[in-house]
Amino acid sequence: MNDDLIPFLAGVAFLILYLVFSAWTEMGTKLPWKK
């Protein structure tokens, strides 16, 4: 595997996880059963 490809994939994966986590937490605060 290319050495330059590993940090790139790690950055992309981290960005996707961050977007999903932020969207999930923002949606969770709008739910009535979630404080």
Side-chain angles (χ1 to χ4, degrees):
M1 201 171 187
N2 194 0
D3 292 336
D4 293 335
L5 192 62
I6 295 176
F8 175 73
L9 291 178
V12 172
F14 178 78
L15 181 62
I16 293 176
L17 286 175
Y18 174 74
L19 290 176
V20 172
F21 180 74
S22 61
W24 178 68
T25 50
E26 186 177 351
M27 182 176 58
T29 53
K30 293 181 181 178
L31 294 178
W33 49 267
K34 187 109 177 178
K35 289 183 179 179

